[in-house]
């Protein structure tokens, strides 16, 4: 699997980042199979969060074996310093490790959330403390929603975050305002040498029926051709250091195959497939609370 340099951190991260939201509600047996599948595919960057159900607990038993082989990232969604400090320490305990490669301020998708997280007494102060005490090596920021790129661009003005995890897919890229904000963010990450990671690569739209087929809160592509086109389109952007895999264990194999095959995709072929998708839209029209 291709690796790309994760900004000034220097880590050569696999372009597929294991999105451990997929482990939120699965058994340890299912988690073990999925984690092994990721490792066998060459994935060396694992991304989880305190709010991802049982995900940290499912990854924990693997750490004694693989901790030195992977880049390990988690997130805190807390906004106040003390609560975030407790969250970071709990994550270390659940993950059965004494160090994280990256702690991320989670779900910061608008300026109000950014103000809370980066203001006096905010979660950023806990992340800095964790870094200064050797518990984490770097600090990043993540977020969903149409305002995420602009918010993350502002975040880089306030603090030298080493990484940004922000949304991009073909549907979002067709929105001129969104694309302009994303391009501005991407240029800034290049200027400050921050890692730029992507979420929602294979999102198709919000769910339109009650019987959801997958554990993702949005409806994902689940046909190989569309997954391959969507992944190839995002990874053609040289600023992107990697994409987080979808929060559903059964979709991992499609993404792995898409990464292997993406050299066969021309711009014209990507556009032909993705322009032909019916009801292809932003997943942020209706987000879960």
């Amino acid at each position: 699997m291709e690796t790309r340099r994760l900004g000034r951190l220097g880590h050569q991260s696999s372009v597929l980042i294991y999105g451990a939201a997929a482990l939120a509600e699965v058994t340890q047996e299912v988690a073990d199979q999925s984690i092994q599948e990721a490792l066998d595919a060459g994935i060396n960057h694992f991304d989880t969060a305190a709010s991802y159900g049982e995900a940290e607990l499912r990854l924990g038993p693997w750490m004694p074996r693989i901790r030195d082989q992977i880049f390990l990232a988690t997130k805190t969604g807390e906004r106040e310093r003390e609560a975030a400090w407790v969250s970071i320490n709990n994550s270390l305990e659940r993950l059965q490790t004494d160090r994280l490669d990256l702690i991320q301020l989670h779900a910061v998708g608008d300026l109000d959330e950014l103000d809370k997280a980066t203001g006096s007494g905010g979660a950023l102060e806990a992340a800095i403390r964790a870094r200064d005490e050797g518990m984490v090596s770097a600090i990043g920021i993540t977020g969903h929603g149409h305002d995420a790129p602009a918010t993350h661009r502002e975040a880089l003005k306030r603090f030298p975050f080493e990484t940004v995890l922000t949304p991009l897919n073909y549907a979002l890229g067709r929105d001129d305002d969104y694309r302009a904000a994303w391009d501005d963010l991407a240029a800034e990450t290049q200027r400050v040498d921050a890692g730029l990671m992507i979420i929602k690569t294979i999102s198709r739209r919000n769910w339109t029926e009650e019987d959801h087929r997958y554990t993702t809160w949005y409806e994902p592509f689940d046909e190989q051709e569309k997954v391959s086109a969507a992944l190839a389109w995002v990874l053609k952007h040289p600023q992107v250091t990697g994409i987080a895999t979808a929060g559903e264990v059964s979709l991992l194999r499609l993404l792995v195959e898409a990464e292997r095959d993406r050299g066969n995709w021309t711009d014209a072929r990507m556009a032909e497939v993705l322009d032909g998708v019916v009801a292809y839209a932003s997943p942020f029209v209706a987000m879960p609370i």
Side-chain angles (χ1 to χ4, degrees):
M1 181 173 295
E2 181 190 356
T3 61
R4 295 184 182 179
R5 178 176 167 274
L6 189 62
R8 62 184 181 273
L9 293 180
H11 184 262
Q12 290 293 327
S13 289
S14 51
V15 291
L16 291 186
I17 299 165
Y18 187 83
L23 306 181
E25 300 177 1
V26 303
T27 64
Q28 189 65 52
E29 180 181 6
V30 170
D32 290 346
Q33 293 170 350
S34 184
I35 294 166
Q36 188 62 60
E37 180 182 3
L39 294 169
D40 290 345
I43 294 175
N44 68 3
H45 184 146
F46 284 68
D47 182 86
T48 187
S51 61
Y52 289 171
E54 304 293 292
E56 290 181 332
L57 292 173
R58 297 290 173 258
L59 282 169
W62 284 77
M63 291 307 112
R65 286 176 279 169
I66 69 171
R67 182 64 192 91
D68 291 337
Q69 304 169 35
I70 66 165
F71 186 93
L72 180 62
T74 194
K75 314 181 188 79
T76 176
E78 301 293 344
R79 295 295 180 251
E80 296 182 357
R81 177 181 57 217
E82 294 309 315
W85 177 250
V86 171
S87 173
I88 295 168
N89 280 273
N90 286 343
S91 288
L92 286 165
E93 182 177 354
R94 287 192 295 265
L95 286 164
Q96 299 184 35
T97 185
D98 60 358
R99 60 184 177 86
L100 298 166
D101 294 302
L102 179 66
I103 184 67
Q104 298 158 105
L105 305 186
H106 189 35
V108 182
D110 58 47
L111 291 179
D112 182 56
E113 293 299 307
L114 181 64
D115 288 343
K116 292 176 185 176
T118 63
S120 178
L124 178 58
E125 293 181 3
I128 293 170
R129 178 183 172 187
R131 183 194 62 189
D132 292 347
E133 294 189 13
M135 297 159 58
V136 307
S137 298
I139 303 171
I141 192 164
T142 84
H144 298 84
H146 295 125
D147 294 331
T151 301
H152 296 159
R153 174 66 179 84
E154 172 62 24
L156 290 173
K157 294 180 182 178
R158 301 186 184 186
F159 182 79
F161 291 99
E162 280 94 352
T163 66
V164 173
L165 181 65
T166 206
L168 182 67
N169 61 34
Y170 190 77
L172 291 169
R174 294 188 298 195
D175 181 313
D176 290 342
D177 290 340
Y178 189 92
R179 184 56 194 250
W182 190 90
D183 285 342
D184 187 37
L185 171 64
E188 182 63 10
T189 62
Q190 291 285 287
R191 189 185 74 81
V192 301
D193 201 14
L196 178 59
M197 303 174 289
I198 300 300
I199 51 176
K200 303 300 173 282
T201 296
I202 65 167
S203 168
R204 177 187 176 189
R205 58 183 177 182
N206 291 120
W207 286 109
T208 58
E209 66 278 337
E210 292 299 322
D211 184 22
H212 296 182
R213 300 185 302 279
Y214 305 110
T215 55
T216 48
W217 58 261
Y218 56 88
E219 180 182 349
F221 288 131
D222 59 2
E223 299 172 5
Q224 187 66 67
E225 183 181 54
K226 294 181 177 64
V227 170
S228 294
L231 178 141
W233 185 82
V234 169
L235 286 182
K236 79 171 187 174
H237 295 79
Q239 311 98 318
V240 171
T241 56
I243 69 165
T245 59
E248 164 66 48
V249 293
S250 67
L251 296 174
L252 180 59
R253 62 177 180 81
L254 297 176
L255 286 157
V256 170
E257 178 57 33
E259 194 281 328
R260 290 172 178 162
D261 180 55
R262 65 192 178 84
N264 296 319
W265 285 80
T266 63
D267 289 352
R269 186 182 174 201
M270 294 175 214
E272 179 182 9
V273 170
L274 296 173
D275 285 338
V277 176
V278 177
Y280 191 14
S282 165
F284 305 129
V285 175
M287 291 173 59
I289 298 175

